[in-house]
Amino acid sequence: MMPDEISRRTEALPGEEPALLQVEGLSHYYGERLGCRDISFDLWPGEVLGIVGESGSGKSTLLNLLAGRFPPSSGTIRYRDAEGLTHDINSLSEAVRRRILRTEWGFVHQHPRDGLRMRVSAGGNIGERLMACGSRHYGNIRSTALDWLERVEIAADRIDDRPTAYSGGMQQRLQIARNLVSGPRLVFMDEPTGGLDVSVQAKLLDLLRQLVRGLGLSVVLVTHDLAVARLLAHRLIVMRRGEVVESGLSDQVLDDPHHPYTQLLVSSILQG
Ligand code: ADP
Ligand code: MG
C-alpha cells in the first residue's frame, strides 16, 4: 500500500455498507459566474443518482467536480475505494488518481467522440482500457473485447472498424463498453442518451438500464430528460441555478414534486 493512499477508513454502522461518495458543501465559480453552490449528499453502493434540471442549472459542473476533472472553489468530495480507503478527491497523488480513473471509475460523455479514440479500432478502444488495467495477453484482450461488443449489441465483424464508421448509437454503445469492460465501481454519465435520435435513445436507455442493474453499478447520471431519470435513477437531485432545490426517491420526486420549480419541470414546461 502506498503511504499516500492511507487517509482514513470510513465509519459504517454494523451490517451497513459505507457511502461510496461523500459530498460536502461543494461550490464552484467560473470567475464571477456561478457553476454550483453548497451541494451535499452521499452516494451509496449500487445506487443510481440522477442529477436533473434545465440547461445551465449546473449539472455538468457538479458531475465534473465529482469526477475530479477540476477542483471546486470550496467543499470536499470523499471517495471510498475498493480497498475501503477514503480519499479526498482533490488531494490525490497523481499515481492514485490514475489508478482510480483507470480501474475504479468510468465516465460516459454525451458525445462519443469525447470518450473514444476515433482513430483506433473498436476492439482497440476496448482493449486499450483493459491494458491500462494490466491485461497483456492479446488473445484474452481480443476475446473480452468481442464479448463486450456483443453485450452492447455490436456485431463481431465490426471489431476492426474505427468508430468513425459507426452510427451515433453504435458509437455511444462502444463508449459504454469501453467504460464498463474494466469492471468499474462508479460510473459518471453526462446526458448519455442526449445526442441521439429519439428512436435510438429508447433502445440505448433499455440497454443501459439492463447493464447498470445487471452489474449493480453505482452511477451518477446527469440528464435533463426526466424519462431517462425515472427509468435509470433510484434517487434524484433537482438543480436550479446551481443549487439543489429538491431531492428524494425518483418516483416520489417525479410523482409528487414539492418545489414549484420541480413542478414546472415535471409539467415539462422547462424541458427540452
Ligand atoms: P448544465 O450542465 O446543467 O447545462 P453547466 O454546469 O454546464 O449546466 O453550467 C452551469 C452554469 O455555469 C451556467 O451558467 C454556465 O453558463 C456556466 N458555465 C459552465 N461552464 C462554464 C465555463 N467553462 N466557463 C464559464 N461558465 C461556465
Ligand atoms: Mg450539461
Side-chain angles (χ1 to χ4, degrees):
M1 189 183 295
M2 312 258 302
D4 55 13
E5 283 191 68
I6 302 165
S7 17
R8 70 181 177 86
R9 291 193 182 267
T10 314
E11 298 301 322
L13 298 171
E16 192 177 85
E17 272 197 86
L20 211 54
L21 281 179
Q22 293 175 291
V23 179
E24 273 172 39
L26 209 57
S27 299
H28 190 72
Y29 289 84
Y30 300 95
E32 301 274 289
R33 198 183 181 103
L34 174 67
C36 64
R37 178 158 53 209
D38 197 22
I39 296 181
S40 304
F41 63 87
D42 291 339
L43 177 78
W44 303 95
E47 183 177 40
V48 180
L49 178 72
I51 302 172
V52 300
E54 66 187 318
S55 176
S57 57
K59 306 183 297 295
S60 296
T61 300
L62 174 58
L63 191 74
N64 286 313
L65 290 173
L66 297 177
R69 294 165 68 84
F70 47 76
S73 306
S74 59
T76 57
I77 305 149
R78 292 194 194 88
Y79 168 67
R80 183 175 176 276
D81 74 9
E83 289 162 20
L85 296 169
T86 300
H87 304 270
D88 181 337
I89 287 307
N90 292 294
S91 52
L92 293 176
S93 70
E94 212 29 57
V96 175
R97 174 187 302 277
R98 231 175 296 127
R99 178 178 67 76
I100 290 176
L101 285 178
R102 283 178 179 175
T103 65
E104 299 203 10
W105 288 4
F107 198 110
V108 176
H109 298 263
Q110 173 172 359
H111 300 293
R113 63 173 176 271
D114 295 330
L116 289 174
R117 295 232 283 145
M118 300 303 280
R119 294 193 182 144
V120 171
S121 70
N125 265 282
I126 299 177
E128 194 175 59
R129 174 97 181 177
L130 284 169
M131 288 173 74
C133 293
S135 296
R136 290 289 172 268
H137 187 279
Y138 177 81
N140 291 348
I141 291 173
R142 184 137 178 122
S143 65
T144 307
L146 276 169
D147 178 43
W148 268 92
L149 286 179
E150 191 185 344
R151 292 177 78 165
V152 298
E153 297 163 12
I154 293 174
D157 65 3
R158 304 299 304 270
I159 189 170
D160 295 319
D161 291 355
R162 292 178 181 186
T164 43
Y166 281 10
S167 68
M170 285 172 77
Q171 288 179 2
Q172 195 58 309
R173 297 203 300 279
L174 179 62
Q175 190 192 181
I176 290 163
R178 175 178 159 103
N179 271 276
L180 299 188
V181 69
S182 54
R185 312 169 68 223
L186 173 58
V187 181
F188 301 96
M189 300 184 183
D190 196 349
E191 307 273 9
T193 60
L196 302 168
D197 293 342
V198 175
S199 58
V200 180
Q201 278 185 22
K203 202 169 154 245
L204 182 68
L205 191 55
D206 252 8
L207 178 68
L208 257 184
R209 183 182 155 93
Q210 171 204 319
L211 287 170
V212 164
R213 292 289 191 269
L215 297 165
L217 278 182
S218 306
V219 177
V220 184
L221 165 81
V222 158
T223 182
H224 71 274
D225 185 334
L226 299 183
V228 172
R230 190 191 284 275
L231 258 172
L232 286 178
H234 299 113
R235 196 155 58 98
L236 295 182
I237 281 180
V238 183
M239 292 186 71
R240 180 199 191 199
R241 295 185 194 154
E243 298 190 38
V244 173
V245 295
E246 184 160 354
S247 66
L249 296 176
S250 302
D251 289 344
Q252 175 195 316
V253 169
L254 296 174
D255 294 337
D256 183 23
H258 286 199
H259 193 282
Y261 176 76
T262 318
Q263 291 165 359
L264 278 176
L265 260 191
V266 169
S267 69
S268 89
I269 290 167
L270 297 177
Q271 284 195 62

